[in-house]
Amino acid sequence: MKRRSIDPETPAESAELSLCEALLSLKNAEEMSAFLHDLCTPAELEVMIDRWRVVPYLLDGVSYREIHERTAVSITTIGRVARYLNQGSGGYLAAGARAARRRAASKKAKA
């Protein structure tokens, strides 16, 4: 994590909350995509996408090697995501569960 040599005018906790509120204010995937492309460098966005791509596989119990073969995401990144799934703050689990419900509902609607 980046360390700053001077105290910023806005405390980090307040700035983080402001970012979370901005993300929650977006109405759809298109708005979120536009915001993320404005907020992140291409490399930062690629890292986040890679991390998110492996979550469903980890939740389904797929081996790291097989996830790597399916996604080309590094074993190190897969392990990092797995660690946060198990010992993190619950964000991956909450988002993963909601995404799984959306996929299931979408499949059901198409049937």
Side-chain angles (χ1 to χ4, degrees), residues 31-48:
E31 285 186 6
M32 179 66 73
S33 178
F35 183 78
L36 290 174
H37 278 88
D38 288 346
L39 180 68
C40 302
T41 66
E44 290 166 337
L45 192 54
E46 182 179 5
V47 167
M48 290 191 297

Side-chain angles (χ1 to χ4, degrees), residues 58-85:
L58 289 168
L59 291 174
D60 287 343
V62 177
S63 73
Y64 289 17
R65 179 69 49 207
E66 187 172 345
I67 295 170
H68 170 71
E69 289 170 3
R70 291 182 185 185
T71 65
V73 173
S74 76
I75 299 293
T76 302
T77 296
I78 296 165
R80 182 177 297 121
V81 173
R83 186 170 57 253
Y84 280 97
L85 269 170

Side-chain angles (χ1 to χ4, degrees), residues 14-39:
S14 175
E16 181 179 348
L17 180 59
S18 176
L19 174 61
C20 291
E21 289 169 348
L23 291 166
L24 286 169
S25 75
L26 299 168
K27 295 180 179 142
N28 55 45
E30 291 78 20
E31 285 186 6
M32 179 66 73
S33 178
F35 183 78
L36 290 174
H37 278 88
D38 288 346
L39 180 68

